[in-house]
C-alpha cells in the first residue's frame, strides 16, 4: 500500500515512488521484459543476484533500466544514465500513434497510450462483447447510467462520472497490460480469483492481441529498444492506475462510513 507521500508523487507521474510501492509480483513482468533484451544490465547487478525474485529490493534499478532503454547507449554514457521517464513515455506514445502535447503530464500520457491500444481493440470487438463490457460498467456505476456499446470508448469515458472513470481506466489498464504480457512473455498477469475480471480479460484477449501485434510490426522497424520500453510503459501505466483506483476506492469506503 502506498503512503500518502508516495501516492501524491505517483499521481504526479513519478516513476520511482510507484515502483517502490509495488509488490514483487507486480514488478515481475517489468523484470521479464528487461531480461528479454540482449543489452540489459539488471542481471549482472549484485543485489539482483542476491535477492531475485524479490524485485521490490531493487525497484530503483528496474526504473533505471527502463530509462536506459529509452536512449541510445552513446547518449547515456554522456548523461550518466537514460533520459527522464517523461521522455521515455512521450517517445512510446509517438511510436504507437498518440499525439503528445508540450509539457503534457506523464500520467496523462500513460493513460493515452493505454486508451489507444484499448480503443484499437474496441473497434474490432464483436457488438455482443462490447455490450457485456458496458454492462460491467453499469453495474460498477450503480446509478443506472446508460452506455451505448456502439459508441467509441472515448465517448463512453466522457460519459462516465469521476469514480466510474477511475474504474474504467483501471479496467482498461488491466486488460492491456495482461494482453501485452501474454503476447511477449507467453503468460498473463496473476490475479486473485475474480470471475468477472476473468470474463472481461477473455472478451478482449483476441482484439487486444491483434492491436498489440500491429504495434510490434510497426516498432520492429524502429529499433529493438521499443520491445522493452513499450510494454514497460504500458505496465507502469497499469500499476499507476491500480494505485490510484485503490486510493479512490478506499476514499469512497471511508466516505460511506
Amino acid at each position: 500500500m502506498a503512503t500518502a507521500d508516495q501516492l501524491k508523487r505517483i499521481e504526479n507521474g513519478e516513476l520511482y515512488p510507484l515502483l517502490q510501492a509495488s509488490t514483487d509480483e507486480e514488478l515481475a513482468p517489468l523484470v521479464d521484459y528487461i531480461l528479454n533484451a540482449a543489452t540489459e544490465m539488471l542481471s549482472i547487478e549484485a543485489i539482483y543476484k542476491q535477492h531475485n525474485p524479490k524485485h521490490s529490493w531493487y525497484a530503483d534499478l528496474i526504473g533505471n533500466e527502463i530509462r536506459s532503454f529509452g536512449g541510445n547507449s552513446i547518449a547515456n554514457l554522456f548523461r550518466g544514465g537514460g533520459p527522464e521517464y517523461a521522455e521515455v513515455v512521450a517517445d512510446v506514445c509517438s511510436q504507437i500513434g498518440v499525439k503528445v502535447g508540450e509539457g503534457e503530464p506523464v500520467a496523462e500520457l500513460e493513460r493515452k497510450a493505454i486508451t489507444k491500444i484499448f480503443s484499437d481493440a474496441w473497434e474490432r470487438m464483436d457488438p455482443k462483447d462490447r455490450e457485456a463490457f458496458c454492462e460491467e460498467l453499469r453495474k460498477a456505476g450503480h446509478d443506472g447510467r446508460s452506455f451505448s456499446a456502439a459508441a467509441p470508448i472515448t465517448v463512453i469515458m466522457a460519459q462516465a462520472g469521476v469514480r466510474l472513470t477511475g474504474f474504467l481506466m483501471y479496467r482498461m489498464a488491466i486488460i492491456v497490460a495482461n494482453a501485452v504480457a501474454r503476447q511477449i512473455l507467453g503468460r498473463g498477469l496473476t490475479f486473485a480469483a475474480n470471475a468477472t475480471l476473468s470474463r472481461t480479460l477473455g472478451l478482449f484477449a483476441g482484439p487486444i492481441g491483434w492491436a498489440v501485434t500491429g504495434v510490434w510490426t510497426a516498432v520492429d522497424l524502429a529499433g529493438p529498444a521499443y520491445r522493452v520500453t513499450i510494454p514497460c510503459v504500458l505496465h507502469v501505466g497499469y500499476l499507476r492506475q491500480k494505485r490510484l483506483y485503490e486510493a479512490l476506492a478506499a476514499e469512497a469506503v471511508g466516505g460511506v462510513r
Side-chain angles (χ1 to χ4, degrees):
M1 181 66 70
T3 65
D5 177 65
Q6 281 178 322
L7 187 61
K8 183 176 181 180
R9 295 172 67 188
I10 288 169
E11 190 173 9
N12 287 338
E14 293 187 41
L15 174 63
Y16 293 98
L18 175 60
L19 299 181
Q20 291 160 4
S22 300
T23 66
D24 297 334
E25 187 175 79
E26 290 171 338
L27 294 171
L30 292 175
V31 172
D32 289 340
Y33 293 141
I34 292 166
L35 296 183
N36 274 344
T39 56
E40 60 85 18
M41 301 296 289
L42 179 62
S43 62
I44 66 174
E45 295 283 351
I47 191 171
Y48 171 84
K49 293 178 179 179
Q50 182 178 358
H51 295 290
N52 175 49
K54 295 180 180 178
H55 307 308
S56 55
W57 284 64
Y58 40 86
D60 285 359
L61 289 181
I62 295 171
N64 292 345
E65 282 287 280
I66 293 172
R67 290 174 54 204
S68 73
F69 279 98
N72 66 65
S73 57
I74 295 176
N76 289 347
L77 284 175
F78 282 101
R79 63 185 159 206
E84 292 299 318
Y85 178 64
E87 185 179 332
V88 177
V89 178
D91 191 36
V92 163
C93 283
S94 296
Q95 285 299 317
I96 66 174
V98 173
K99 291 183 179 179
V100 178
E102 185 175 352
E104 199 161 4
V106 169
E108 178 59 24
L109 289 178
E110 288 174 346
R111 285 192 289 268
K112 282 187 173 182
I114 291 168
T115 302
K116 174 64 166 63
I117 301 294
F118 190 93
S119 182
D120 288 349
W122 182 258
E123 296 304 316
R124 304 183 69 159
M125 282 190 73
D126 183 279
K128 291 182 179 179
D129 291 339
R130 281 191 183 191
E131 179 56 38
F133 184 74
C134 286
E135 182 59 27
E136 183 184 351
L137 295 183
R138 295 185 193 105
K139 290 177 180 178
H142 302 299
D143 59 2
R145 187 180 281 113
S146 177
F147 299 109
S148 170
I153 195 64
T154 50
V155 171
I156 293 175
M157 290 180 71
Q159 292 173 337
V162 174
R163 192 188 71 80
L164 190 54
T165 298
F167 173 82
L168 174 55
M169 193 66 238
Y170 174 41
R171 264 298 192 259
M172 288 165 52
I174 291 176
I175 290 166
V176 170
N178 183 71
V180 170
R182 289 179 65 88
Q183 281 273 329
I184 297 180
L185 306 177
R187 64 182 186 279
L189 307 181
T190 302
F191 301 102
N194 184 315
T196 300
L197 178 56
S198 295
R199 285 194 300 272
T200 302
L201 294 176
L203 292 177
F204 282 88
I208 290 285
W210 297 327
V212 172
T213 297
V215 169
W216 297 154
T217 301
V219 302
D220 274 348
L221 302 176
Y226 289 113
R227 282 274 180 168
V228 177
T229 57
I230 291 177
C232 282
V233 165
L234 292 172
H235 190 80
V236 169
Y238 151 64
L239 294 179
R240 195 179 311 280
Q241 292 306 313
K242 182 176 183 180
R243 295 286 93 85
L244 296 178
Y245 181 69
E246 286 172 345
L248 190 63
E251 182 180 331
V253 171
V256 170
R257 292 177 181 174

